[in-house]
Amino acid sequence: MAIAEVNRSDFLVIGSGIAGLSFALKASRKGRVTVITKKGEADANTNYAQGGIAVAVSPEDSFASHIEDTINAGDGLCKAEVVEAVVTSGPRLILELINWGVEFSRTKDGNTLDLGTEGGHSHRRVIHSSDLTGEEIERSLVKAAIKERRIRILEDHLALDLIITDEQGRKVCQGVYVLEPSSGRVIPFLSPNTFLATGGCGQIYLYTTNPDIATGDGVAMAYRAGAEVGNLEFVQFHPTSLCNSGKRAFLISEAVRGEGGKLRLSSGEQFMNRYHPLRDLAPRDVVARAIDIELKRSGQPCVYLDVTHLPPAKVKERFPHIYEKCLSLGLDMTKDWLPVVPAAHYMCGGVITDGWGRTNIEGLYAFGEVACTGMHGANRLASNSLLEALAFADFSYKKATEELGKREIPKSFPPPLEGKIGGEFQEGEWRRISSYKGEIKELMWRLVGIARSDERLKKAGEMIERVLSDVEAFYQANPPQPRSAELRNMALTAWLIIKCALRRKESRGLHYNEDHPDKANGNWAKDTILQRKS
Ligand code: FAD
Ligand code: SIN
């Protein structure tokens, strides 16, 4: 295996979800953009989004109210100036999406956007495309990006590690090493501006709403490179994924509860009134924890979501995709209660950035789910993720284009490849190592789930240390392959989540530790930040 060529571009984007593609579309006005993406163009969490995008546009609503709801959900860790910048950009960013071809659902008269609602919102403000919002956004962005001459999208290209140099004590990102699995080549892609838009890490949990691509690659690459990462203990579990719905848990959107869906125990009891005044529309952390408590108490496998009291025609019209999917599994949601359980859904922490999406490494930005910007704090408000991804892609575009031309990569640079890349992949040994994937998913679910304890976290820490060192040793001794590279990233991301969770000796937002059940203000009202010692 050898370095085949060196690729250069003005903007190097890793990831083709809403964050990566909306950035690429803007950046292409100013220079050449390369988008590296590890599977197909549309393989992204974005493609699965259902509920929609939260934006304060109705006459009854206001930016102040959206800001307040976001900060309340974030439980003391949101950065107010970031929340304000994101929320107030909303209407402009939605117009941009419409100009790129996204069709949002409209009211019957066709004059205004239809607005849904979800947990923690005090007004109807969730703009959506029926219940397939993400698919509509991804389809439109891919279509627009393909037409742009200055955007090159490379599918089936897996970013392995960032290329970092030391410039008189400053860490500088020069690009990324990319594996082209079809040829087995590792290719350095160079750029003065590299943008991590690699999404989340749901796949490190046994049950998740996330597709296969969500293996924490961006956080792991950034940490290995020396970037600050943080708040990873705040893993968001979505309360209502359909029970036993397959390898990727099928989501029943929170918008279903927004339209009047009720959670019930198998006895029929509605239980959310015992947990929060907003009942079924309480913030997501509260609802997921309430379900977890009820399931542990009753020993039942699931709770139920009931929409049978709503007019069937309305259910079918508003949620056609969810209706059809349930029907294909033998459940008619207009007549049957849906069996639901929580599943890992969203990473609130990530690579730490400033208000422009810049990391602590020069030339390296992060936005979208991979980033920790201060928007979500300890718990993300529903439908704020797509909004934040769009906003930070926009802020980063503004900052990066301001900086364009200030730093060039020397013509003589391609860096040597690090580590061993020749030789045969040891299939026999891989069979042993690959079993760690299931072990990680299982241990994260059992020991680092919705309700944690000091003892369980400590045990998880010990287990993951062993897994991580074994997986890393295998990776270093073998030519890289997607399966080993992803496992390496899953192990490191799991280790980082556990480390963050062990540090936070309190319960806040999505992090609940039964040995420290209360929120400890003062010393703990701050981010948990980790950085690799070089
Ligand atoms: P993604 O869309 O996940 O894109 C990441 C990209 O990076 C992918 O193209 C992936 O292939 C690529 N990639 C990853 N690693 C590498 C690598 N090593 N090399 C190359 N490429 C790589 N949020 C809302 O606001 N509203 C909703 O209604 C909503 N519903 C959701 C429903 C579901 C089922 C799920 C799973 C999430 C939902 N979310 C929702 C969350 C939201 O969809 C995501 O947080 C958001 O789409 C993330 O966008 P992104 O561009 O950051 O990442
Ligand atoms: C949903 O539709 O329930 C998901 C919304 C989100 O994750 O913000």
Side-chain angles (χ1 to χ4, degrees), residues 444-455:
M444 291 303 286
W445 187 257
R446 237 174 359 95
L447 306 174
V448 200
I450 295 173
R452 299 159 181 181
S453 74
D454 283 348
E455 194 189 327

Side-chain angles (χ1 to χ4, degrees), residues 139-157:
R139 179 198 66 76
S140 309
L141 295 182
V142 167
K143 194 168 164 204
I146 284 171
K147 278 202 223 134
E148 254 332 308
R149 206 175 33 86
R150 295 216 276 188
I151 300 179
R152 183 168 62 135
I153 305 181
L154 297 173
E155 293 182 300
D156 296 316
H157 279 61

Side-chain angles (χ1 to χ4, degrees), residues 14-20 36-54 118 133 138 157-160 197-200 209-211 213 215 217-218 221 248-249 251 345-346 367-370 380 382-387 389 489:
I14 311 169
S16 60
I18 189 170
I36 304 289
T37 193
K38 68 179 175 181
K39 291 207 169 158
E41 293 146 343
D43 281 318
N45 274 7
T46 300
N47 210 25
Y48 297 88
Q50 293 183 349
I53 311 184
E118 293 177 54
T133 310
E138 191 67 26
H157 279 61
L158 180 86
L160 293 175
T198 47
T209 61
N210 291 191
I213 54 98
T215 49
D217 298 5
M221 282 190 279
R248 185 182 67 82
L251 185 74
H345 183 63
Y346 184 82
F367 41 65
E369 192 167 339
V370 69
R380 173 177 69 94
S383 285
N384 262 354
S385 164
L386 296 171
L387 176 66
N489 293 331

Side-chain angles (χ1 to χ4, degrees), residues 203-218:
Q203 280 295 325
I204 66 174
Y205 281 88
L206 192 55
Y207 302 109
T208 179
T209 61
N210 291 191
D212 286 354
I213 54 98
T215 49
D217 298 5

